[in-house]
Amino acid sequence: MKKVLVIGGGGREHAIVDAVSRSPQVGKIYCAPGNAGIAQQAECVAIKDTDVEGLRDFALENGIDLTVVGPEVALAAGVVDAFKAAGLRIFGPSKAAATIEASKDFAKQLMAKYNIPTAAFETFEDYGSALEYVKKGSFPVVLKYDGLAAGKGVVIPETLEEADETLKDMLLDDKFGKGKVVVEEFLTGPEFSFMCFVDGLDVYPMTLSQDHKRAYEGDKGPNTGGMGAYSPVPIITDEDLEFSLEHVMKPTAAAMVAEGCPFTGVLYGGLMKTPQGPKVIEFNCRFGDPETEVVLPRLLTDIYDVFSAVADHTPMPQLEWSKEVTMGFVMASKGYPGSYDKGFPIDIPEEISPLPSVGRNDNALCRPEGRSDVRIYHMGTSFKDGKFYTSGGRVLMVVGFGADLQQAHDKALAAVESIKCDNLFYRRDIGWRVL
Ligand code: AMP
Ligand code: GLY
């Protein structure tokens, strides 16, 4: 039986652990650092996701057969390069390939060079020139900090004053860190997340999902890491999908090979269906969070084989997806994505509480019999004296399953409403575009 290490400790990693736990080949799962929910399905080890040497040594000492990397910070820290140098099997892109997410400017230059459809843009290091450029353009305008910012480095000012303030934050006061700013044309249309398994030139699409980036109902408020998601996305036609695969994802994979940094792992296309067709809003170099929590539960293929095919550059098994659909609501700490308090007790009713111990089951779907319609992925929780507590900005992702999205929505929402905690909020309008 195989031993798998999953790096990371959020809802995405919980969903990865859950998917791996369904593989009949896997006998032991570790997660570093994991969280209180993950601890019910894997052995959590207290190593930080950016402690590259610590992770590598753990994998060597414990005979890990395959490591799967969740967070971008671990990839940008070079965890894949270090594992490979030590002869370890690992799923994820090299540090060089992870630049497609770590630098917005790199991604935009790549798209410009290889004619991949995206918003018009200009990059600035200097506050004065950026402000001059913004003054000449129209509003709203899109300002993107060049480096990693946990989904919070994008601001869309409606006025020149607001834009000026943001540019000061980004370029004079280094509030996001030291870095450049990409100024982008504002596009309109529904967004969708197109994640593909990529091995060099080979691109294997996953089923589509849609995130909800804004903090509050009606798509209002600040951008977050994501407040809810569903899969599939009926407003995206087969034609849109075909276009996005042939004109975005495949050419991007080819561009990365041509640039000398072939991509292996999950390439995440954050796309917008504009009146002119799908265009790229951003690329990520890993699974999306919370998209993974609605996509992986629908994967029927043994995920150990899928990860292995990419890690070993061997043929990919046919990816099969459940007809049952998913919708999930994020429950976040009041104040998120700004500052928030932690340590509030969470009451999760027994009938929807997560699986005890390793959740392997032989159902085609990830759900154990008798608890057929809800799955809770922990994003930021801790556990003490028999109780879960909030320990992060995003705390739980509550996923409902159904024959259609309305059913999945209703099941998830009912579960969300049954969870009691004094310091959590959520959006009730997840899925509004399709319901
Ligand atoms: P990003 O981190 O680049 O995905 O941006 C976060 C969010 O900002 C996206 O999900 C969009 O909702 C919005 N956004 C980013 N770029 C644009 C754009 N060019 N036009 C309109 N909205 C955008
Ligand atoms: N949910 C968007 C992301 O993972 O970046």
Side-chain angles (χ1 to χ4, degrees), residues 202-315:
D202 298 328
V203 177
Y204 307 93
M206 290 184 229
T207 185
L208 293 180
S209 55
Q210 186 177 63
D211 188 10
H212 297 62
K213 292 259 169 78
R214 301 295 196 103
Y216 313 130
E217 280 164 23
D219 285 338
K220 300 263 184 332
N223 269 317
T224 68
M227 292 298 294
Y230 58 89
S231 171
V233 188
I235 51 175
I236 303 306
T237 62
D238 288 348
E239 227 173 32
D240 297 328
L241 182 65
E242 178 78 5
F243 180 89
S244 305
L245 182 61
E246 297 302 328
H247 295 278
V248 175
M249 304 308 286
K250 284 184 181 174
T252 301
M256 294 297 279
V257 172
E259 292 295 312
C261 46
F263 194 95
T264 54
V266 172
L267 182 62
Y268 166 123
L271 306 183
M272 187 181 272
K273 180 178 169 157
T274 75
Q276 293 83 41
K279 292 191 182 182
V280 177
I281 292 291
E282 67 165 345
F283 281 119
N284 291 326
C285 63
R286 36 89 195 163
F287 282 111
D289 193 356
E291 290 93 328
T292 305
E293 293 94 306
V294 292
V295 167
L296 287 190
R298 300 187 57 225
L299 179 64
L300 303 178
T301 314
D302 183 338
I303 203 164
Y304 187 83
D305 289 336
V306 174
F307 289 147
S308 295
V310 175
D312 303 336
H313 314 295
T314 52

Side-chain angles (χ1 to χ4, degrees), residues 68-182:
V68 180
V69 190
E72 60 276 19
V73 285
L75 296 163
V79 69
V80 169
D81 310 67
F83 271 58
K84 284 196 173 153
L88 291 161
R89 293 169 74 231
I90 186 161
F91 175 87
S94 66
K95 181 175 177 165
T99 311
I100 198 163
E101 172 169 1
S103 166
K104 300 261 187 209
D105 183 44
F106 172 89
K108 294 297 284 189
Q109 304 290 353
L110 187 85
M111 288 186 266
K113 182 168 172 187
Y114 292 90
N115 284 318
I116 293 156
T118 189
F121 75 103
E122 200 73 53
T123 306
F124 296 93
E125 284 180 60
D126 163 61
Y127 161 75
S129 335
L131 186 64
E132 275 316 302
Y133 180 80
V134 166
K135 271 185 187 162
K136 281 188 249 147
S138 57
F139 288 88
V141 65
V142 183
L143 304 178
K144 299 187 174 180
Y145 172 68
D146 182 50
L148 292 179
K152 296 167 208 160
V154 176
V155 183
I156 307 185
E158 304 270 351
T159 64
L160 180 60
E161 276 137 46
E162 246 182 282
D164 187 18
E165 223 157 273
T166 305
L167 289 173
K168 277 186 186 137
D169 285 351
M170 289 181 175
L171 288 170
L172 291 182
D173 302 337
D174 297 339
K175 282 209 179 144
F176 297 78
K178 198 122 199 86
K180 303 180 247 188
V181 168
V182 174

